[in-house]
Amino acid sequence: MDFEVWPEALELGRLFAQEGFELALVGGPVRDLLLRRPSHDLDFCTSAKPERFEPILRRWGQGFWDMGRKFGTLGAMRRRPDGTEVKVEVTTYRSDRYEPDSRKPDVDYGDSLEGDLSRRDFTVNAMALRVPDLEFVDPFGGASDLSKRVLRTPVDPRQSFDDDPLRMMRAVRFVAQLGFRIAPETAEALSDMTDRISIVSAERVRDELTKLLLSEHASDGVEALVDSGLADQVLPELPALQLEIDEHHRHKDVYEHTLMVLDRAIALETGPDGPVPAPDLTLRMAALLHDIGKPATRRFEPGGKVSFHHHDAVGAKLARKRLKALRFDKRLIDDVCDLIAMHLRFHGYVDERWTDAAVRRYAKETGPLYERLNRLTRADATTRNKRKAQVFSAAMDELEDRVRQLKKKENLDAIRPDLDGQQIMAILGLEPGPLVGKAYRHMLNYRLDHGPVDPASAEAELKAWWDALPEDQRRSARRSARRP
């Protein structure tokens, strides 16, 4: 085969050979070589024990780590002249044993490359390239499966998934990353064993789901997740979108709509210098979960219509609960849930154009999520009615243009009341307290509704608000201000 192998791999191969050790490039890097995909992280396996090859890595690399030492793995890094980094990890041949209630193996060292390859997840990852002599090793037909774009396990799939259930998540992730399909016998075993995923930590599931959503074929991966039954275990809100309409039929419009929205949102991501650089996990997760409130809010109305009132608010709550359970970080959870809660905000604009005050408020309240929300809103408009689609698109174009025009006149991202907290306290004779915060929020709303005003007008509005408060609130606030 025609390999254009990394020079670092060849160099390491020579260094190991000089010490009498075997070294082979394995797994993803070999697969990516055949697919002509770039890879900067190189995985190797060797006949040497860690204490024997550690000095080689230390001499070769500019950085060294040994967090995987108990699994027989050591790593090193070297920086190329162009500034790019090449990371390598080398693992002693292994022959692992798994306990039924754990995916963490008892590490047993093996004595052959072929034995090491047999423990890998899929045949396309069970190929190796001995270095430096470039002997290709493929005992399980990985190259053939690669050409067929199929995922198959090297050993019986039930044994493979029983040993390490995370491999089931990796299968659907590779569907998304590589555009592959899962072999029938492997898919059958996966579907029969989805409950085994319960022994995998939420963090591991989260990481695989993240990689899936950030992949080139994300919606294919989502379909594989749902069709396999894994979603019932790790993200049950998705299969719940396949709403039943009677005992004989299934209505998949919401689920199929969700897949379409995900694809459309991905298509609206921008280049690296744009406002939503691809791939954007926040936008993709919001697109995936934006309608998960519909099953709980579905109502059958007179005339055969179906409504989903408040599914945006309900969906945001469900998404927060699920994403917390999957251990996503707080910032992403907050942003995704805010996008879901706001994804219907724009729809009123289509029927009745907003005032400048309403446009200003929309831009201010959506804040750093403005660009993502607009893309989610556009992606969500999947109507097949061309006239409606054109009207919706034109209205969104108009809104975005109005926001741009307002931003030229005002710094919408940094809008503050015309009076700050100190000025409010001075005018009303107050000390810091809850009523000052209420006054500040009132003046912020006034600013959003009316735009910037002169100091005299702002002070008059503040005093009018104050005079409209109940007498007991004003008396209590000023009494607190007089206390020493």
Side-chain angles (χ1 to χ4, degrees), residues 171-434:
V172 297
R173 189 247 290 182
F174 283 131
V175 169
Q177 277 188 334
L178 303 174
F180 285 15
R181 61 181 177 85
I182 303 173
E185 68 279 8
T186 304
E188 181 181 0
L190 195 163
S191 294
D192 289 345
M193 301 178 67
T194 54
D195 59 330
R196 284 285 288 159
I197 201 70
S198 62
I199 72 168
V200 179
S201 71
E203 290 83 359
R204 291 287 189 179
V205 172
R206 173 203 64 203
D207 291 346
E208 290 298 326
L209 185 59
T210 296
K211 292 173 184 176
L212 184 158
L213 282 178
L214 294 179
S215 297
E216 182 179 355
H217 310 281
S219 62
D220 290 341
V222 171
E223 283 195 274
L225 187 74
V226 172
D227 292 346
S228 67
L230 268 177
D232 292 310
Q233 305 293 327
V234 302
L235 201 58
E237 293 79 6
L238 283 184
L241 295 177
Q242 297 174 314
L243 300 177
E244 295 180 0
I245 54 174
D246 58 45
E247 60 184 354
H248 302 296
H249 302 89
R250 296 186 66 83
H251 175 62
K252 296 187 178 181
D253 282 355
V254 179
Y255 171 63
E256 291 173 356
H257 163 79
T258 295
L259 295 176
M260 189 182 301
V261 172
L262 176 59
D263 284 337
R264 288 164 59 92
I266 291 171
L268 290 170
E269 292 171 342
T270 62
D273 297 326
V276 186
D280 187 82
L281 180 60
T282 301
L283 176 60
R284 296 185 183 200
M285 186 68 77
L288 183 67
L289 303 181
H290 79 285
D291 272 349
I292 62 171
K294 281 190 171 180
T297 58
R298 182 177 59 161
R299 299 292 182 270
F300 295 99
E301 307 291 351
K305 292 186 176 181
V306 180
S307 66
F308 303 96
H309 297 307
H310 308 300
H311 76 269
D312 46 349
V314 172
K317 291 181 180 179
L318 291 173
R320 184 173 297 278
K321 182 178 180 181
R322 179 57 55 195
L323 295 176
K324 279 186 175 180
L326 289 170
R327 304 289 194 271
F328 280 94
D329 69 80
K330 184 179 185 302
R331 174 66 180 273
L332 180 130
I333 293 174
D334 288 344
D335 287 350
V336 168
C337 293
D338 284 348
L339 286 170
I340 294 172
M342 294 188 294
H343 82 271
L344 299 179
R345 283 279 298 270
F346 170 76
H347 287 249
Y349 188 93
V350 180
D351 300 323
E352 182 179 352
R353 297 302 191 262
W354 294 341
T355 63
D356 279 355
V359 172
R360 190 182 292 114
R361 186 179 297 277
Y362 177 83
K364 173 65 176 176
E365 292 180 355
T366 56
L369 295 177
Y370 170 79
E371 294 287 354
R372 288 190 180 105
L373 180 59
N374 287 359
R375 282 161 173 76
L376 177 60
T377 302
R378 286 184 184 272
D380 193 30
T382 60
T383 178
R384 296 179 181 177
N385 185 310
K386 290 185 178 180
R387 187 190 66 81
K388 286 185 178 180
Q390 290 171 350
V391 169
F392 189 93
S393 180
M396 178 59 83
D397 290 343
E398 180 184 290
L399 173 66
E400 291 179 337
D401 184 63
R402 290 179 65 186
V403 169
R404 281 192 292 270
Q405 296 303 319
L406 281 171
K407 283 187 174 182
K408 288 181 180 179
K409 300 177 184 177
E410 312 170 35
N411 185 359
L412 295 183
D413 295 332
I415 281 183
R416 299 289 185 273
D418 295 294
L419 300 173
D420 62 25
Q422 293 295 328
Q423 292 170 312
I424 289 171
M425 289 188 290
I427 292 169
L428 300 181
L430 300 178
E431 292 294 320

